[in-house]
Amino acid sequence: MSRYPSGLSRSLLLWCLLPLTGFFSAFWLLPVAHLVALPARGGWSMYFAVITDSRHLATMSNTVGLSLIVTAVTLVLGGAVGIFLARSRFLGRRVLLSLLTLPLSFPGVIIGFYFILLGGRQGLVADVTAALGIGRVTFAYGLFGLFLAYVYFSLPRAIATYTAAAESMDRALEEAARTLGASRSRIMRDVWLPQLAPTTLACGAIIFATAMGAFGTAFTLASNFEVLPISIYNEFTNYANFALAASLSIALGLITWVVLLAARRFSGESSPM
Amino acid sequence: MCTTIVVALFMLVPMALSLAAGFMRSYNVGVTGGFTLDWLAKVLSAYGGTVGASIALATVCVAGDLVLGVPCAYAISRMRSRWLSVFEELITLPVAVPGLATGLAMILAYGEVRGFRQSYSFILVGHMVFTLPFLVRTVSSAFKREELRSLEEAARTLGAGFLQRFIGVLLPAIFPSIVAACLMVFALSIGEFNLTWLLQTPLTRTLPVGLADSYASMRLEMGSAYTLIFFAVIVPVLLSLQYVGRIVENRYGS
């Protein structure tokens, strides 16, 4: 009796893996090996540039801080909207859900542009505040604009995930809690939160990792708040400082990968994306 | 309820604003300034090439992913090896690591190979590396369904060879999942920016690359009109993806 079902031989299955493995090795593993080896030319200390250079350390902590806040805010808002959409029935609910999840695969540049239209020098908000007599208020090019754009960018994923998760929540538990006299906040804390915890962990990790690596949004806003992907890009294209750009990319890639991996281990979720 | 309304406005107002601004004679003057199709025409003459390029690129990317990814997904679903999870983790890395890093790595490794670096195939390879994990994951979880194993077993006892079973039985059975995976890959490729911005050259530009260029150097109305064109390309794909996703879900339960 073969270890493999349906008379499949191991060699046949290995042949099936071969094309992708070759492609992946040539165009991802090999290039990334180059990238990882590159900082060594500038001495071993180059690998720790993100910790030892105070400017890059500041950029890194800014990026981590911003991503953490964006993740928290997105999870709260996305959770509230997702639970609401999962439990209410109204005309146009499905249309609203599909509109809200539409920006899921928009490039970040478009989101950046949205906030220029809204909060830029010729933006809608500037027009409104000018009409109110408090001058032309702009927020697109600073930290607040970047924050809003990042939240906008990750909300569709959170809404889609929470709607699906809330739809499959056990309604009987909640009924039981309610008949036993639990308050709304009690139900939220003791019934909803535990059931949604794996979703929150998995979705939070993806949002955090995406925010850390978001390049298009920050690039379009040309923000005066520098985030790590922009530093990497500048070191590479403007200063041709390849070893440093590689070192910073390694640090960034390690962080996003470890966060995603850890979240998957803890939530027991097998989905890697 | 209040939160939902606020969030919905936050999401939909900028979208509506940019759609409307693409037709406005002047964004500053607003709707009272009247409407025009001039911006759309200007975008098509300045950036029209990027639309076709992106669609062609995404189509070839889907085809390439299918050729490499479907056999791989099948092997993953049928193999029993403790190395399998390591393998899956490895091929998913291009999604876990920011596109910027992958782009840098590709330029460092292949930047000197001029013919490759300056052609669309350079971007194509980047898109395939980035999208393959999504396709492999969707298709391999479809292959893993229990009734498919019995179907395959039945075909085998009736004397069907491997290729016959694969093409005649398995592929038709997971067809909706394959369509969903293809649409996802297409949408990802059309919208990819972080990686593409590094891989592009002035002669190999895609839709999002053109968008970034227009946002940085053109009037807001023109950027909006260009965004409108991007919408026209991507929204039908995303809507069909949602539709096919529902079919798959109804038929097999997630």
Side-chain angles (χ1 to χ4, degrees):
Chain A
M1 185 72 197
S2 154
R3 274 180 77 213
Y4 295 97
S6 312
L8 289 169
S9 67
R10 190 183 172 85
S11 64
L12 180 72
L13 291 175
L14 286 175
W15 274 107
C16 287
L17 288 180
L18 201 64
L20 188 140
T21 310
F23 182 81
F24 178 75
S25 309
F27 297 114
W28 200 81
L29 280 185
L30 178 82
V32 167
H34 261 259
L35 182 85
V36 171
L38 189 66
R41 286 189 213 162
W44 290 103
S45 61
M46 190 53 107
Y47 283 106
F48 303 100
V50 71
I51 308 170
T52 50
D53 182 323
S54 62
R55 194 165 58 89
H56 296 309
L57 185 62
T59 310
M60 173 61 98
S61 40
N62 281 347
T63 314
V64 171
L66 175 66
S67 304
L68 281 176
I69 297 172
V70 166
T71 307
V73 171
T74 309
L75 287 178
V76 170
L77 292 179
V81 174
I83 293 174
F84 175 79
L85 286 180
R87 330 188 119 224
S88 38
R89 292 286 170 267
F90 56 88
L91 196 68
R93 187 190 77 102
R94 180 148 262 176
V95 176
L96 182 64
L97 182 61
S98 81
L99 277 176
L100 292 181
T101 50
L102 210 54
L104 202 61
S105 48
F106 286 3
V109 281
I110 288 192
I111 318 297
F113 181 65
Y114 280 175
F115 284 87
I116 290 177
L117 282 179
L118 214 55
R121 277 177 281 274
Q122 309 173 53
L124 185 68
V125 171
D127 287 343
V128 172
T129 52
L132 292 173
I134 46 174
R136 299 186 69 82
V137 174
T138 61
F139 59 82
Y141 315 106
L143 176 57
F144 187 58
L146 205 58
F147 163 76
L148 286 181
Y150 277 27
V151 169
Y152 189 104
F153 192 60
S154 31
L155 263 172
R157 178 181 299 280
I159 293 174
T161 316
Y162 274 112
T163 308
E167 267 166 1
S168 61
M169 270 201 300
D170 189 356
R171 294 296 280 264
L173 274 178
E174 193 182 335
E175 289 302 319
R178 189 163 294 142
T179 39
L180 290 170
S183 67
R184 206 179 147 74
S185 59
R186 208 51 221 282
I187 292 180
M188 218 184 265
R189 200 188 68 207
D190 294 342
V191 181
W192 289 2
L193 266 184
Q195 287 195 72
L196 293 176
T199 306
T200 304
L201 192 61
C203 183
I206 295 178
I207 292 174
F208 177 80
T210 313
M212 286 295 297
F215 169 64
T217 323
F219 182 73
T220 306
L221 290 173
S223 185
N224 52 33
F225 184 85
E226 186 161 310
V227 288
L228 199 60
I230 298 290
S231 310
I232 295 175
Y233 179 73
N234 285 337
E235 291 297 341
F236 185 73
T237 48
N238 299 344
Y239 312 122
N241 202 342
F242 298 157
L244 183 59
S247 163
L248 296 178
S249 313
I250 296 166
L252 181 63
L254 271 178
I255 292 181
T256 56
W257 176 62
V258 167
V259 166
L260 290 170
L261 191 70
R264 230 177 313 143
R265 284 285 143 81
F266 287 119
S267 68
E269 174 79 41
S270 66
S271 161
M273 47 205 112
Chain B
M1 168 108 177
C2 287
T3 321
T4 305
I5 294 173
V6 171
V7 169
L9 286 177
F10 175 68
M11 299 298 294
L12 300 179
V13 166
M15 243 191 268
L17 205 59
S18 110
L19 290 179
F23 294 114
M24 283 179 195
R25 211 170 282 285
S26 155
Y27 181 63
N28 277 7
V29 180
V31 281
T32 48
F35 296 94
T36 175
L37 293 177
D38 288 355
W39 301 116
L40 277 171
K42 282 205 173 99
V43 168
L44 284 178
S45 75
Y47 295 103
T50 64
V51 180
S54 262
I55 293 176
L57 194 69
T59 310
V60 180
C61 181
V62 168
D65 276 17
L66 282 175
V67 170
L68 297 178
V70 173
C72 173
Y74 177 71
I76 285 179
S77 72
R78 293 296 181 265
M79 269 180 117
R80 291 168 207 160
S81 159
R82 60 208 162 85
W83 294 106
L84 207 57
S85 60
V86 178
F87 179 78
E88 280 185 276
E89 184 66 40
L90 212 58
I91 63 166
T92 311
L93 276 173
V95 178
V97 166
L100 199 60
T102 300
L104 273 187
M106 282 184 62
I107 292 176
L108 291 172
Y110 294 108
E112 301 303 314
V113 191
R114 292 277 161 227
F116 181 40
R117 170 75 180 94
Q118 289 168 354
S119 74
Y120 273 107
S121 49
F122 197 52
I123 301 178
L124 172 70
V125 164
H127 282 200
M128 281 174 65
V129 167
F130 171 67
T131 53
L132 268 168
F134 292 94
L135 181 121
V136 168
R137 188 166 167 79
T138 310
V139 176
S140 71
S141 66
F143 273 136
K144 277 177 189 159
R145 287 202 320 270
E146 207 44 56
E147 79 265 22
L148 232 71
R149 289 172 191 267
S150 7
L151 210 60
E152 194 180 0
E153 192 61 40
R156 191 183 67 93
T157 43
L158 291 172
F162 173 69
L163 273 183
Q164 223 177 341
R165 293 191 315 255
F166 195 77
I167 295 167
V169 178
L170 291 179
L171 287 188
I174 64 157
F175 190 67
S177 301
I178 290 191
V179 173
C182 289
L183 288 168
M184 192 191 296
V185 168
F186 192 87
L188 285 169
S189 169
I190 289 272
E192 214 302 317
F193 176 79
N194 293 355
L195 175 65
T196 318
W197 183 256
L198 283 179
L199 303 184
Q200 54 111 6
T201 66
L203 291 175
T204 55
R205 295 199 299 179
T206 65
L207 224 172
V209 167
L211 278 174
D213 184 71
S214 79
Y215 295 157
S217 57
M218 301 285 172
R219 291 181 54 128
L220 287 179
E221 295 85 348
M222 194 133 159
S224 298
Y226 200 177
T227 312
L228 208 67
I229 293 173
F230 177 79
F231 262 64
V233 176
I234 195 120
V235 169
V237 180
L238 295 179
L239 290 180
S240 359
L241 183 58
Q242 291 181 353
Y243 177 72
V244 176
R246 269 204 295 280
I247 293 182
V248 174
E249 199 172 319
N250 289 342
R251 213 184 276 182
Y252 314 115
S254 85

